[in-house]
Amino acid sequence: MTKLLLILHVLAAIVAVGPVTVAGSMFPAAARRAAGTPDLGAVATVRILHRVCRVYATVGLAVPVLGFATASELHVLGSPWLITSIALTGAAALVLALLVLPAQERLLAHLAEPAPGTAAVERAQTARLAMLTGAFNLLWATVTVLMILRPGSTTGV
C-alpha cells in the first residue's frame, strides 16, 4: 500500500504542479504580448494559461492528501523535513491561491477591457506577477528537493 500511495503522490505532483508551474511562468510574458497588440488570439492564449493554472491548482489538492497518506504509512509524520515540506507546500498554495491567480484575473480584466493610460499599471502588475510566480516555483522546487534528499532516506543516497 505504501508504494502505491507514493506512486500516486509523485504522479499527482507531476501531473498537477507541472502544468501550473509552466503555465504560470508563461503567463506574464503572454500578458505583456497581449497588452501590446489588438490580437484576440494573444488574449485567448492568456485566458487559456490562466485556466490551466486554475484547473490544475484544484487538481493539485490531491498532492498533499496523498502526501499525508504516504507519510502516515511510512510513520514519518513528525519528521522535521516533512513538517518543513508541509509548511512550504502550504506557503506555495497560499501564494498561488491568494496572489498569483487573483493577479492573473486582474490582468485578464485589463486585457479584456483596456483603458487608456493603464499601460504602466499593466507593466507593474505583470512584473509583480512574474515575481510571485517565481516565488511559487521556488517553493515547489524546495519541497521537491526535500522530498528527494530527505534525512533518514531508505534509498541509501
Side-chain angles (χ1 to χ4, degrees):
M1 185 63 153
T2 303
K3 288 182 183 182
L4 176 63
L5 286 171
L6 181 59
I7 289 167
L8 292 174
H9 172 63
V10 171
L11 285 174
I14 292 167
V15 169
V17 179
V20 174
T21 302
V22 173
S25 296
M26 292 172 64
F27 187 98
R32 274 193 298 275
R33 282 191 301 277
T37 179
D39 179 15
L40 294 178
V43 175
T45 298
V46 176
R47 223 176 251 117
I48 289 168
L49 290 171
H50 173 64
R51 184 169 184 206
V52 167
C53 290
R54 199 179 66 243
V55 168
Y56 281 93
T58 304
V59 173
L61 295 173
V63 177
V65 169
L66 290 165
F68 274 111
T70 304
S72 179
E73 285 285 319
L74 290 170
H75 307 290
V76 294
L77 282 172
S79 299
W81 65 268
L82 184 66
I83 293 167
T84 302
S85 294
I86 291 167
L88 292 174
T89 298
L94 289 173
V95 167
L96 182 63
L98 300 178
L99 300 173
V100 172
L101 293 175
Q104 287 179 349
E105 289 167 9
R106 282 192 300 277
L107 274 168
L108 275 170
H110 281 286
L111 293 174
E113 295 187 28
T118 61
V121 171
E122 286 175 1
R123 280 193 303 275
Q125 286 180 343
T126 304
R128 182 175 185 269
L129 176 59
M131 179 196 67
L132 292 170
T133 303
F136 170 78
N137 293 343
L138 182 60
L139 287 165
W140 270 114
T142 306
V143 169
T144 302
V145 169
L146 283 171
M147 290 291 134
I148 294 169
L149 299 179
R150 67 192 187 274
S153 172
T154 58
T155 62
V157 177

